[in-house]
Amino acid sequence: MSNWIEVAAEADLFEGAGIAVAPAGHDIALFIVEGEVFAIDNQCTHGNAQRCDGFVEGHNVECPFHQAQFSLRDGSVGCGPATEPVKSWPVKIEGGRVLLQLA
Ligand code: FES
């Protein structure tokens, strides 16, 4: 069952920075890398930091607190101190709108 929800305009996104969106009570960070949009949970699994404020390098984002790195592709941990991955969300673009599949 698909449940696609519009969360932003593609024009809201910029290479090298994330934005936070909150569809249906979720806290999700959106990123765009080389024209492709990625969505992962915004809250770090190591502490009270938000990934949308992190440093983007390639297809990874670095947590602003302790520099753990997470893959924008699948939320996996590339570098500690975090050990728990974050959830990644399916993304599609339609007519310049960013949609996430929440269920
Ligand atoms: Fe993110 Fe510590 S709060 S690595």
Side-chain angles (χ1 to χ4, degrees):
M1 180 173 146
S2 67
N3 186 21
W4 293 94
I5 294 181
E6 180 180 346
V7 295
E10 193 175 12
D12 293 338
L13 303 175
F14 295 90
E15 300 273 345
I19 67 167
V21 294
H26 296 281
D27 184 11
I28 296 174
L30 300 180
F31 299 89
I32 188 165
V33 179
E34 298 172 358
E36 187 175 1
V37 179
F38 299 92
I40 60 174
D41 273 352
N42 198 18
Q43 178 72 42
C44 186
T45 55
H46 181 252
N48 191 25
Q50 294 192 308
R51 262 179 222 89
C52 65
D53 297 327
F55 175 70
V56 178
E57 185 170 24
H59 285 84
N60 295 299
V61 60
E62 186 178 271
C63 178
F65 276 14
H66 308 112
Q67 290 74 52
Q69 291 188 11
F70 298 86
S71 169
L72 298 177
R73 297 181 194 278
D74 61 9
S76 61
V77 177
C79 174
T83 57
E84 293 291 321
V86 295
K87 182 172 179 53
S88 62
W89 299 88
V91 177
K92 69 178 178 181
I93 307 298
E94 283 185 354
R97 299 171 302 134
V98 180
L99 294 94
L100 303 183
Q101 188 176 37
L102 299 182

